Amino acid sequence: MRGFRAGTASACAETSRSLSVDEQKARRDGLTGAFSGTPSNKRPIVLVVVLAVVIAAIVVVPLVIWRDEPVSTKRRLLLLNALSAAHPDYLFTMASGASATDESVSVLVEPRPPLPLTHGPEARRPATLKLDERGLPSPPELVDWRMTRALEMPDQDAGRRLLPEDQALLKSKVPPQGVIALAVVWLTAPQTEESIQRFWPDGADVLFFSPRRKDRKPVSWDVSFCMDRALPTCASDHPASPTSGFRAWVSSLTAEDQPALAAFELNLADMRAAARSGLAYGFVASGYLDDLRELAAEKSVSSLRVVDLRIPPEHGP
């Protein structure tokens, strides 16, 4: 663009030097007439129109291209985010090289590991969301595991801060720095993410934005990179906090998305209210057993369930 402007200025200078004083005056008068509505040379008008078209093309065309993003891509991202929000016990990612069709959408699924560890590619399996004639999904079949049961905790266990097996584990003499545990924590009362960080400064892996129910997992959002969730309102070079990520996603949804959300038992109106309040009813925590022992004694904690244990590679055999 800078070279184009320099070339145009040079050409105009050459033209100006080749004209007589009277001709230059006539052209100036003609340009003035073009803006005052008086009859004049029409060339300035043409020039203005051409420049307007060029500027419009520069500004408008990228917007049109952005708005014309493939529907299949938008659908995949909507379904991926809805799956993640409805099932905090699993991680969902896009299947590499796979694309959405009118009949199905492919994703990869794995049980949620403690951060910063991963299960590795051997733990991921493909899952297919079949779409009906209206493009609405049938959620994939997911196997219940210990974390699932902690999320859908029955009422008789909800009032128990620790189950016997959790008490035994937290009192065990395992190397304090050798094992990283994953825990589901429910609070005595909903709190903001900032309040939770006061007694759990490492931050939550996942926040629950709906109350505990024995027959349904809570609506949730995890720590994730914006580029992985297609969230345009936050930086892509570092993870977004659960609250900011959840708010960004909910703000991008419209009433047209509600039928797809309903397939995962998500309600847009309820999520908008939860995003506004920013209150969490519980969270997922990763940490050493010593840290989780202290967390279990925190007065804000109603219950804590250890759902997974992992040995970092440097402490392995």
Side-chain angles (χ1 to χ4, degrees):
M1 180 62 73
R2 187 175 300 172
F4 170 76
R5 288 179 177 175
T8 302
S10 176
C12 288
E14 291 296 333
T15 302
S16 177
R17 285 195 296 268
S18 64
L19 294 176
S20 67
V21 175
D22 291 340
E23 288 173 327
Q24 291 184 36
K25 182 177 182 302
R27 288 204 170 189
R28 287 196 299 268
D29 292 342
L31 184 59
T32 303
F35 289 99
S36 62
T38 61
S40 64
N41 193 326
K42 295 183 179 180
R43 289 183 180 179
I45 299 178
V46 174
L47 179 60
V48 171
V49 171
V50 171
L51 289 176
V53 171
V54 171
I55 293 173
I58 293 173
V59 175
V60 174
V61 169
L63 295 178
V64 172
I65 293 174
W66 178 82
R67 290 177 179 270
D68 198 28
E69 182 184 356
V71 175
S72 60
T73 300
K74 293 180 180 180
R75 180 169 56 189
R76 289 177 69 195
L77 293 170
L78 171 63
L79 298 181
L80 177 72
N81 287 331
L83 267 173
S84 300
H87 299 283
D89 46 342
Y90 282 93
L91 286 179
F92 300 92
T93 55
M94 291 291 189
S96 178
S99 60
T101 68
D102 291 337
E103 293 80 25
S104 64
V105 173
S106 298
V107 297
L108 294 176
V109 57
E110 63 178 298
R112 180 175 295 280
L115 291 179
L117 305 180
T118 63
H119 291 302
E122 65 277 3
R124 303 186 187 104
R125 64 178 179 84
T128 300
L129 285 72
K130 295 183 179 179
L131 307 177
D132 62 19
E133 63 278 1
R134 297 171 297 169
L136 300 180
S138 296
E141 294 184 4
L142 300 173
V143 178
D144 288 356
W145 61 292
R146 185 173 175 83
M147 185 172 182
T148 310
R149 294 187 289 274
L151 294 171
E152 301 175 342
M153 189 185 305
D155 293 337
Q156 60 267 26
D157 290 339
R160 306 175 67 178
R161 184 179 292 261
L162 292 170
L163 295 179
E165 56 265 36
D166 295 311
Q167 290 179 337
L169 178 63
L170 294 178
K171 292 180 180 179
S172 62
K173 299 299 182 180
V174 298
Q177 301 298 315
V179 176
I180 296 180
L182 185 72
V184 171
V185 181
W186 288 102
L187 301 172
T188 56
Q191 300 185 35
T192 63
E193 186 171 2
E194 291 75 15
S195 297
I196 293 172
Q197 287 178 334
R198 294 191 182 101
F199 60 84
W200 187 246
D202 289 341
D205 300 3
V206 185
L207 288 182
F208 307 147
F209 293 102
S210 63
R212 179 192 62 80
R213 290 181 56 173
K214 63 179 181 179
D215 59 343
R216 186 180 300 178
K217 302 172 189 177
V219 177
S220 62
W221 199 264
D222 59 6
V223 176
S224 54
F225 286 92
C226 298
M227 61 186 300
D228 295 335
R229 296 296 192 89
L231 303 179
T233 58
C234 52
S236 60
D237 57 348
H238 65 277
S241 70
T243 302
S244 62
F246 181 65
R247 283 172 169 166
W249 179 56
V250 171
S251 67
S252 71
L253 300 174
T254 67
E256 295 178 353
D257 299 319
Q258 179 54 51
L261 296 173
F264 303 99
E265 299 185 328
L266 299 174
N267 182 276
L268 181 55
D270 292 342
M271 291 196 300
R272 284 174 173 169
R276 284 193 299 270
S277 72
L279 294 176
Y281 295 80
F283 61 97
V284 176
S286 294
Y288 297 119
L289 292 180
D290 287 347
D291 297 329
L292 293 180
R293 188 182 303 116
E294 295 180 8
L295 178 60
E298 167 62 39
K299 62 181 181 179
S300 298
V301 172
S302 172
S303 65
L304 183 148
R305 301 291 183 265
V306 178
V307 298
D308 195 12
L309 294 173
R310 293 287 163 179
I311 300 177
E314 61 270 21
H315 293 280

